[in-house]
Structure formats: structure tokens, C-alpha cells
């Protein structure tokens, strides 16, 4: 039953990532923490790399290299700060912090708010994304709030490229600080075919989804994932 749930989560999250440019970590992170916590963070980070590669390769002609450069340059300090916090703060408290930040971003998006995508705000979003990604595999909310292009393909390509670099950097930092075990690597490899299934489904949907639907879907995913993480963190603190 657990393996079936894991398969459903990975196929659904990879399909949504492929169709919208975000959602893989937002859905898979909180869900796997609940049903298969041994798959977070290392196996999920390993799976994130080929997932983002597939989307970035499909949309390679639409990538906003300026945004990628700014966000990835500032994400490294955010990742380092997140890993430092993980080692010193109770897990439930860390998850509560990420959930509150994600809910705030999702609520702002639901209300139609956004932050002007200037160089400074994109740099801040990159640092915040690195921090939230290292804490709970949820780097999407800060970037979704600040990067709002007019082209759906540009959104998918740019965000997937940023998440690709972020996953690789976080995985390397995790390997340096804690170490990734052989069993974690094997688990990721065994589950990787599910990503292809989700990507094919998402590619079909991507040709039929408008930018408005894409934006609303991303917002609802952020709110749902943050709510699940909030409930889990509060339950952990109550124990």
C-alpha cells in the first residue's frame, strides 16, 4: 500500500511539474514526509534532477537565462542557511516555519498579488527558495510569487532550470554534511521510471493549459502542500 501511494504521488507530482513548471517538490515533499519519510530529503532530491532535466530540455528554447542567473547565484547562501537550521532546530519547528512562509506566499498569489521581478526581488526569491528547499523541499513559493512571465513555456522552462540547479546544489551540500547512502540512491533509481510516466502525461497537458489556469493551479498546489505540512508540524509539536 505504501509503495502504491508513493507511485501515485510521484506520477502526479511529476505530471504537474511537467505541465506547469512547479509542483514536484511542493506535492512530493509533504506527501512523502507523511507516507514514506525515508525518501526525504536525499532520494527526493536525486529524483528532482532528472525530472527537471526532462522539462528544461523540452522547453529549452524558452528559458529566461537572466532570471536563472540571478536566482541561482543567491540560492547557495539560502541552502547553506537551511542546512544549518536543520542541524540545530527541531524538525517540527522547521516544518512549521516553512509551512507558514508557503501559506503566506500562496495567500498573496490567491489574492492576485505579486512582487515586481526586479533584480533585487529575484535575488531575494532565490535565497528564500534555497532556504525553503533545503528545509522541506519546497523552493517554489518565493519564485512563483516573484517570477510571473506572460509566456507559459518560459515559466515552465525557467522554473524547472532553477529547480534543477537548486536540487543539484542541495544534494551536494547534503552529501558533504551528512552523506547520501547507497540505499537512498538505489531507492531513487528504482522509482525513477515513474517520473517518465508523469512527464509524458504532463507534456500532453502542457499543450492544453493556459497561463491563467497554470497560475491558479500553482497557487492551489502551494496552499494544499503548505496546509499538509502545517498540520504535520503542529502534530509534531503537540507530541
Amino acid at each position: 500500500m505504501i509503495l502504491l501511494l508513493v507511485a501515485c504521488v510521484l506520477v502526479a507530482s511529476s505530471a504537474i511539474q511537467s505541465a506547469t513548471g512547479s509542483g514536484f517538490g511542493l506535492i512530493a515533499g509533504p506527501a512523502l514526509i507523511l507516507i514514506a519519510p525515508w525518501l526525504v530529503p536525499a532520494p527526493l532530491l536525486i529524483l528532482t534532477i532528472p525530472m527537471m532535466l526532462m522539462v528544461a530540455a523540452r522547453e529549452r528554447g524558452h528559458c529566461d537565462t537572466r532570471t536563472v542567473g540571478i536566482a541561482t547565484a543567491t540560492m547557495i547562501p539560502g541552502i547553506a542557511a537551511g542546512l544549518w537550521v536543520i542541524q540545530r532546530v527541531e524538525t517540527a519547528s522547521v516544518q512549521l516555519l516553512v509551512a507558514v512562509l508557503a501559506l503566506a506566499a500562496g495567500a498573496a498569489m490567491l489574492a492576485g498579488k505579486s512582487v515586481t521581478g526586479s533584480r533585487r526581488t529575484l535575488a531575494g526569491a532565490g535565497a528564500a527558495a534555497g532556504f525553503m528547499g533545503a528545509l522541506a523541499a519546497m523552493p517554489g513559493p518565493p519564485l512563483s510569487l516573484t517570477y510571473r512571465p506572460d509566456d507559459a513555456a518560459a515559466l515552465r522552462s525557467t522554473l524547472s532550470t532553477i529547480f534543477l540547479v537548486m536540487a543539484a546544489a542541495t544534494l551536494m551540500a547534503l552529501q558533504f554534511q551528512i552523506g547520501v547512502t547507497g540505499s537512498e540512491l538505489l531507492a531513487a533509481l528504482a522509482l525513477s521510471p515513474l517520473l517518465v510516466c508523469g512527464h509524458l502525461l504532463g507534456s500532453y497537458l502542457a499543450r492544453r493549459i493556459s497561463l491563467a489556469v497554470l497560475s491558479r493551479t500553482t497557487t492551489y498546489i502551494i496552499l494544499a502542500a503548505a496546509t499538509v505540512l502545517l498540520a504535520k508540524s503542529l502534530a509534531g509539536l503537540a507530541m
Side-chain angles (χ1 to χ4, degrees):
M1 180 60 70
I2 290 177
L3 289 177
L4 179 60
L5 289 173
V6 168
C8 291
V9 166
L10 290 178
V11 171
S13 59
S14 57
I16 292 173
Q17 176 67 44
S18 183
T20 69
S22 62
F24 185 69
L26 283 170
I27 296 174
L32 292 179
I33 285 175
L34 289 175
I35 63 177
W38 60 87
L39 293 177
V40 182
L44 181 58
L45 286 170
I46 295 170
L47 289 169
T48 299
I49 293 174
M51 181 67 248
M52 300 307 159
L53 271 174
M54 288 189 289
V55 182
R58 188 192 67 204
E59 309 278 11
R60 58 188 176 277
H62 301 276
C63 184
D64 183 348
T65 54
R66 170 184 173 272
T67 297
V68 171
I70 295 172
T72 54
T74 57
M75 76 170 64
I76 304 301
I79 292 172
L83 292 175
W84 184 88
V85 169
I86 283 177
Q87 294 180 328
R88 290 163 176 81
V89 180
E90 184 183 0
T91 301
S93 298
V94 168
Q95 293 173 349
L96 177 62
L97 171 62
V98 174
V100 170
L101 293 175
L103 281 172
M109 293 171 64
L110 192 63
K113 305 294 184 180
S114 62
V115 181
T116 304
S118 65
R119 183 181 297 271
R120 181 174 298 179
T121 56
L122 287 173
F131 182 74
M132 293 176 65
L135 291 180
M138 290 181 66
L143 293 168
S144 297
L145 186 62
T146 55
Y147 182 63
R148 310 292 290 272
D150 296 326
D151 181 59
L155 180 64
R156 288 190 293 265
S157 177
T158 303
L159 290 183
S160 294
T161 303
I162 293 172
F163 295 152
L164 168 62
V165 177
M166 186 172 299
T170 306
L171 188 62
M172 287 189 291
L174 192 67
Q175 169 66 20
F176 178 75
Q177 289 195 355
I178 302 173
V180 178
T181 66
S183 60
E184 289 175 325
L185 178 59
L186 288 174
L189 291 175
L191 295 169
S192 58
L194 297 169
L195 304 183
V196 179
C197 298
H199 178 60
L200 293 175
L201 175 60
S203 296
Y204 172 81
L205 296 173
R207 298 190 293 270
R208 291 160 175 79
I209 189 171
S210 68
L211 187 62
V213 172
L214 186 154
S215 180
R216 286 198 301 272
T217 301
T218 301
T219 301
Y220 295 145
I221 291 169
I222 288 173
L223 290 171
T227 300
V228 171
L229 192 61
L230 177 64
K232 183 180 183 300
S233 64
L234 291 175
L237 290 172
M239 293 178 62

